[in-house]
Amino acid sequence: MTTAPSSQSAAAAPDVSPAVALFRSHHEFLLDRFLDMERQNLPPDEIDRQLVEFGERIAREYNTSALISGSPQLDGEGLREFIGNVRGLMGGGALAPLLDRHDVENIHILGHDNVVLSLANGERILAAPVATSEEELVMMIRHLAATAGHTSRRFDTASPILDLRLASGHRLFAVTAVAERTSVVIRRHRLLQASMAALAEKGTVTPPIIEVLRAAVRPPNPANLLVVGGTGAGKTTLLRSLIAEVPQQELLVTIEDTLELHLRSSGLHPRTLALETRTANTEGTGEIAMYDLAKAALRMSPDRVIVGEVRGGEVMQLLQAMGIGNDGSLGTIHAGSTRAAINKMLIYAQRSPDAPTPDSVLREIAEVLHLLVYIKKLPDGRRAITSIREVTGYEDGAVLTSEVFGPGPDGVAVYTRPFKPDGEVLARLRDSGFDPASLGEPYLPEEVRRDRARRAAGAPAPQPPVPRPPQQPPARQPQPARPARSQPPAPAGAPPQRPYPAPRAVPPQPARRPTAPAPPPVAQQPPAPRSAHPADLPPQEFPRSPSPAGPTPASGGATSRPPTPSGREATP
C-alpha cells in the first residue's frame, strides 16, 4: 500500500498553484485509496465522502506544515480547487462543479482553457478553465478512461479517441493527437429518473400520446417500438421513460456502445443486464462490437432486448429478437423523420456480416416492427414528440405506414388519423386496455373545420375566384387613307408616271450667319441646237442620182451615199 507523501513536497512546483501541486504530490496515494474502495463495491456516495475526508486531512496537514515553516497556506479558493481535484478521481475532477449544475446539458472543452457550457434554456456561456495545461487535461481524461465504465479504456496517441460513461452517469467523448487541441464533450443526463409524467410536465408529450405509448409497452402483447430523432433530441430520455412503464419482474438486456440508460443504478428497472462494447487492445484484438453483443443477448433468454442506439449491422439482431417472441423490444435510431428511419434500417442492415437482400429486410421490418416515434428539439428549446407512425404492412417492395399522430399547431404531435381497424397494432393496444375512442376526433386544421361546418349547415361553399383571362393590348385603329396628291396630266402618248411620294418632314435648320450677297449669276448661252441623227428621224428614202461616169474602181462598183452633216455615214 502506498503511503501518503509529505505535504512539503507540494512546494516543488512553483509554476503551478499550490492546490494543483498538492494534488499532484498526493495523486498516487489518493488513487490507491479510490481503487481499494472500488474493489470493495462501495456505493458512489460513500466513495465520494471518503475521498473528500482524505482530501481535507491532507489539506489540514499542509496548512499546519506551512504555518510552521512560514510558507503560504491554502486559502478558501485553493482548498475548493484541491477538493475538486480529489473528487475527480471518481470521475469529474475540476468538472465536478460543472456536473453538479442542474441547468447544464452539455460541456464543451476545446482545450484546457476554453470551456463552453450549453444550458437547458438554449444559451451558451463560458466557464473557468478545468486544467492548467494540456498535459494536465490529458492526465485527467486518462484517469477517467482507466477507472470509469465497465471496462478500462486507453487514451493516448495510439488510441486518441475515447467514448465512455462517467461514474456520475454522464457520457464523455474525448479526442487528442488527431485534433489541434485536446477536446472533450460531456453530455449530461439531467433526467435519470425519467417518467411519462415528468415528460408531460415539460411539454414533451400530451395525454393522448401517453395513453398510446403506455399501452404499447405494457403486457400482455406489447408492441415493438423504435424511437427516432436527431442528436440531442431526447431519444435516450424518452426510451428511459418507456422502460419505466415495463413491469419490474421482466428481464431486460440492454446493448449500448457506451452505457447511458442506467436502468439498474437509477432504480428504473432492477432486473437489467447491461452490455457494453469494448475497443481493441494494443495488439488490435479483443474488440467486442454491437453486433457481437446483440448475438449474445439472444442467448440470455431475455423478455425484451433494448438497443441503446442502432447504427450498424446490429439492426438485424434487433429485428430477429422482435420476431422470435421478445415482444416489446425497444431501440433508438438517428433519422430525420419516422419515414426516413425505415430507409436507415435498410442501409444499416447491409453492414451486417450476414447482410440479407433489401427485399427480405423490408419484409421483416413490416412483419415485426409496429410503431415509430419521432422526437425533436423545437425552436423554443422544448423537446417534443411530433410524429407517431404505424407500420401496416408490405406491398410492391415497400413498407406501408400510416402517420397516426402528426405535428400540431405548437409543434407537439396531435391525433390526425385513426389506427388501421383490422391492424395488428390496434389489436395489441386493445389487449393492454386501450380504447381508441378515448383519442376523440382526429385533428383538423381550422379552415377545414369551417368548411365542413358550412357544408353541414347547408350554406354553399365559397367558390374559388375565377381567374381573369390575361388582358390583350387594344387593337390598332386603321388610319384613314391619305388623299392622293394631284398630278398634272401627262401628255398624250407618254408612259404612265409614278405617284409623288409623301412629303418628308424636314428638321429645322439652325440659323446661319449672314454672308455677303453672292454675285448675280452669269447668263449662260443656250447650247447650239444639235442636228438630229438620221436614226432618230422617221424613215425616208433618199433620192439616188445616177453617176455619169459609172462606178469607179476605188468604190468597187458601190454607189456612194451623201455625207451627213455630222460627217458620219447614214445607216440604211
Side-chain angles (χ1 to χ4, degrees):
M1 181 178 295
T2 306
T3 59
S6 173
S7 299
Q8 294 299 325
S9 61
D15 56 329
V16 297
S17 65
V20 174
L22 182 62
F23 174 73
R24 289 180 178 178
S25 63
H26 290 77
H27 178 267
E28 186 177 355
F29 169 77
L30 292 170
L31 181 59
D32 286 343
R33 303 284 77 75
F34 169 73
L35 295 179
D36 287 341
M37 290 184 285
E38 281 281 326
R39 285 189 287 268
Q40 298 174 20
N41 293 325
L42 296 179
D45 295 342
E46 180 64 20
I47 296 177
D48 182 74
R49 185 188 65 81
Q50 293 192 24
L51 284 177
V52 172
E53 288 183 358
F54 279 122
E56 291 176 349
R57 186 187 310 167
I58 293 172
R60 286 194 300 267
E61 294 177 358
Y62 175 82
N63 285 338
T64 302
S65 301
L67 180 62
I68 296 174
S69 61
S71 58
Q73 304 180 33
L74 286 179
D75 56 4
E77 184 65 27
L79 179 60
R80 284 191 295 270
E81 181 181 2
F82 173 69
I83 296 299
N85 291 331
V86 172
R87 296 181 64 190
L89 292 173
M90 64 175 299
L95 300 173
L98 303 180
L99 296 175
D100 290 340
R101 293 184 54 172
H102 297 288
D103 59 340
V104 174
E105 283 192 347
N106 297 324
I107 302 173
H108 301 265
I109 304 173
L110 311 176
H112 72 282
D113 56 350
N114 187 5
V115 182
V116 181
L117 304 181
S118 297
L119 305 183
N121 59 3
E123 296 182 6
R124 293 189 176 184
I125 61 175
L126 294 176
V130 296
T132 58
S133 64
E134 295 289 312
E135 292 75 14
E136 183 178 346
L137 178 61
V138 172
M139 182 184 69
M140 180 177 65
I141 300 172
R142 189 173 300 165
H143 170 75
L144 295 175
T147 58
H150 283 187
T151 58
S152 177
R153 304 194 179 194
R154 299 178 55 195
F155 186 68
D156 48 30
T157 55
S159 299
I161 299 177
L162 177 65
D163 192 357
L164 58 84
R165 176 189 62 90
L166 299 177
S168 55
H170 310 307
R171 182 171 180 175
L172 180 144
F173 177 83
V175 61
T176 189
V178 295
E180 182 180 6
R181 302 185 68 183
T182 301
S183 302
V184 185
V185 177
I186 300 178
R187 296 178 55 188
R188 183 177 178 275
H189 295 292
R190 301 167 53 241
L191 297 176
L192 291 180
Q193 297 294 335
S195 64
M196 285 295 173
L199 295 183
E201 293 177 359
K202 297 183 176 297
T204 303
V205 295
T206 59
I209 294 177
I210 293 178
E211 291 186 23
V212 172
L213 295 182
R214 279 178 174 170
V217 298
R218 288 180 177 176
N221 291 316
N224 297 320
L225 186 145
L226 204 60
V227 177
V228 186
T231 302
K235 299 186 300 297
T236 303
T237 302
L238 177 58
L239 182 61
R240 194 182 294 115
S241 302
L242 292 173
I243 297 174
E245 302 293 334
V246 177
Q248 297 290 317
Q249 65 271 16
E250 294 190 11
L251 174 61
L252 308 183
V253 176
T254 62
I255 304 169
E256 299 179 84
D257 184 51
T258 301
L259 295 178
E260 291 185 276
L261 294 176
H262 317 296
L263 302 180
R264 186 170 55 184
S265 60
S266 63
L268 285 179
H269 204 284
R271 297 192 62 189
T272 301
L273 178 59
L275 303 180
E276 185 182 25
T277 60
R278 186 179 68 186
T279 57
N281 55 21
T282 54
E283 291 78 17
T285 60
E287 179 183 7
I288 304 297
M290 292 278 288
Y291 179 80
D292 303 321
L293 296 178
K295 291 179 62 177
L298 298 180
R299 301 187 180 100
M300 298 178 181
S301 300
D303 294 315
R304 307 187 192 212
V305 175
I306 299 171
V307 179
E309 182 179 343
V310 177
R311 57 183 181 183
E314 66 273 4
V315 66
M316 292 307 303
Q317 303 301 323
L318 177 62
L319 293 176
Q320 184 179 352
M322 293 177 176
I324 62 176
N326 301 112
D327 292 339
S329 295
L330 307 171
T332 69
I333 189 171
H334 281 85
S337 65
T338 51
R339 189 186 299 274
I342 297 178
N343 294 331
K344 273 294 187 68
M345 296 177 69
L346 179 60
I347 295 173
Y348 290 157
Q350 304 307 310
R351 302 178 184 177
S352 174
D354 50 350
T357 62
D359 183 73
S360 61
V361 175
L362 295 177
R363 288 180 182 272
E364 189 162 5
I365 292 175
E367 182 179 352
V368 303
L369 187 61
H370 302 128
L371 288 175
L372 295 163
V373 181
Y374 184 71
I375 184 172
K376 67 178 296 186
K377 188 174 183 180
L378 301 179
D380 58 0
R382 292 181 301 147
R383 271 88 172 176
I385 292 177
T386 61
S387 174
I388 299 179
R389 186 174 293 272
E390 170 194 14
V391 179
T392 59
Y394 176 86
E395 184 179 344
D396 296 335
V399 178
L400 304 181
T401 62
S402 174
E403 190 175 44
V404 181
F405 284 80
D410 60 346
V412 185
V414 294
Y415 177 54
T416 58
R417 185 177 302 173
F419 287 96
K420 186 178 180 181
D422 57 344
E424 184 178 357
V425 176
L426 184 58
R428 289 176 178 268
L429 296 179
R430 281 175 170 165
D431 291 342
S432 301
F434 172 73
D435 183 10
S438 63
L439 298 178
E441 293 295 327
Y443 168 79
L444 295 175
E446 184 64 26
E447 57 273 12
V448 177
R449 288 202 302 268
R450 288 198 301 263
D451 184 62
R452 289 191 176 183
R454 188 184 300 108
R455 292 183 181 180
Q463 299 296 330
V466 179
R468 298 178 59 183
Q471 296 184 358
Q472 300 292 338
R476 295 184 59 182
Q477 299 295 333
Q479 299 294 333
R482 182 176 297 176
R485 186 175 180 180
S486 60
Q487 297 181 359
Q497 298 181 0
R498 298 179 180 176
Y500 289 105
R504 293 185 300 176
V506 179
Q509 299 294 331
R512 297 181 178 180
R513 291 183 302 176
T515 57
V522 180
Q524 297 181 356
Q525 296 296 331
R530 181 181 177 183
S531 59
H533 192 274
D536 296 334
L537 298 176
Q540 58 183 349
E541 290 190 11
F542 292 93
R544 298 181 179 182
S545 58
S547 174
T552 60
S555 61
T559 305
S560 62
R561 296 179 181 178
T564 61
S566 60
R568 292 185 302 169
E569 267 189 63
T571 57

